[in-house]
Amino acid sequence: MMSTQSTFYILHRDHRPDGDFSDVDSKVLLSAIDACRVIKDSHEIGLIRRANEVSDIAHRTVLKNIRHFKNEAQIEGIFTDACISRKAKQAYSIIAGSGENAGTLHYVKNDESLKGKQLVCLDAGAEVECYASDVTRTFPISGSWPSQEAKDIYEIVQLMQESCISKLKPGVRMLDLHILAHRIAIDGLLRLGIFHNASPEEIYEMGTSKGFYPHGLGHHLGLEVHDVLGLPVLKYVGEWCPVLDAATSPCNLDQPELEEGMVITIEPGIYFSRYELERAYLSSPIHSKFINREILDRYWPVGGARIEDDILITADGYENLTTAPKGEEALDIIRNGTKDSFSYISNEEQSE
């Protein structure tokens, strides 16, 4: 019989057993299991890979049919169908934000008309046997760029993502890549005239770019879409980082360097959120002097752009597990499309 004077280890406080246990520890086991989940084995990687394969098909299905759609709900519906038809679930609530709705990071209403909208930001990923994918694509509804403003913003975000992914390998700090993404965004927004009256370094030091890129570069991925972590995915120690919010989990300040076997997301973005910019930046004497309001007004209809891939850290670099089309490949699919809408599943798949 166990002595009630012994330490009783549980995973969560609500698992506390009945009885008079004077010493119950709900922290040690949980942190140990969280740390184990950070490094994925081959079986886990295989399931994340399969989840990405289903997400690839679902994103392609959206692109093939987008010109037939009238509203955001149809995007959510066809994506969900494409996943369920392949015995996969949704890893998280689908974000299908069109126009200015794309400027809301976790927009989930998905009920507005697509008429007159420039871009769609579709953040949607399949889950296979409890393992998640997390994929975001931004694309024009028509298959061609509706404005130079939309094209320019997308290309800046594309450069942010490609530059950060190219540097992934064991030993790299995610914080350094997060800073790189901000510096690329600042350079791009200066070139477009949205930022002005300051050097890139001045804008960086004031943190003004957080108004347009308010979230972290990425997070762990696994059994949860924002997977548990031995330590969070972004870190700084003994240094000040003006473009990182210490309170924003999981992108806070205590993560060691990347290691082989980690699966992380790389998801930079640029957003034009009226609420956020008007509330905290355009009204600020610090930030407003760096933002050209006249030029900014041309970008509200763009809404926002984010591109997100799931990356496995390997011994000598990385492997991109996400194959969903983006950029010109996505535009080609939209343009070629399908004559009949709601083309969910191929004849070959139906026979499986």
Side-chain angles (χ1 to χ4, degrees), residues 40-222:
K40 273 65 179 180
D41 62 25
S42 58
H43 176 70
E44 293 175 297
I45 293 168
L47 291 175
I48 297 172
R49 193 188 306 278
R50 174 56 184 162
N52 267 280
E53 289 170 355
V54 176
S55 293
D56 172 275
I57 295 169
H59 276 275
R60 289 176 186 272
T61 303
V62 170
L63 295 174
K64 289 177 181 178
N65 290 278
I66 188 64
R67 290 186 300 156
H68 297 286
F69 291 164
K70 304 298 183 184
N71 56 60
E72 297 164 344
Q74 291 175 291
I75 298 173
E76 180 178 8
I78 199 172
F79 191 98
T80 302
D81 183 279
C83 292
I84 293 175
S85 299
R86 292 163 181 83
K87 304 176 183 179
K89 299 179 180 180
Q90 297 307 299
Y92 51 94
S93 298
I94 291 173
I95 299 169
S98 63
E100 290 197 30
N101 295 333
T104 300
L105 296 186
H106 294 107
Y107 173 82
V108 292
K109 285 180 59 182
N110 301 340
D111 62 357
E112 290 195 12
S113 171
L114 299 178
K115 185 176 181 180
K117 306 294 180 59
Q118 293 198 19
L119 300 178
V120 171
C121 181
L122 176 59
D123 188 339
E127 177 186 300
V128 172
E129 295 184 31
C130 297
Y131 279 83
S133 62
D134 192 359
V135 181
T136 306
R137 294 294 183 257
T138 303
F139 49 87
I141 297 168
S142 65
S144 59
W145 296 110
S147 67
Q148 188 63 45
E149 288 81 5
K151 184 174 187 289
D152 287 342
I153 294 302
Y154 184 89
E155 289 179 347
I156 294 170
V157 175
Q158 184 178 49
L159 179 60
M160 292 162 70
Q161 195 202 37
E162 290 175 350
S163 299
C164 291
I165 289 177
S166 70
K167 296 184 181 299
L168 290 172
K169 62 181 179 180
V172 168
R173 290 196 318 169
M174 277 288 283
L175 175 63
D176 295 327
L177 301 184
H178 177 77
I179 292 170
L180 172 63
H182 267 275
R183 291 192 180 279
I184 294 171
I186 290 168
D187 289 343
L189 295 178
L190 274 168
R191 176 174 53 81
L192 297 180
I194 296 172
F195 284 154
H196 69 167
N197 294 336
S199 68
E201 191 62 28
E202 289 175 297
I203 293 171
Y204 170 81
E205 290 295 335
M206 290 296 102
T208 307
S209 56
K210 287 197 297 182
F212 298 86
Y213 174 26
H215 58 78
L217 180 63
H219 53 81
H220 290 292
L221 181 72

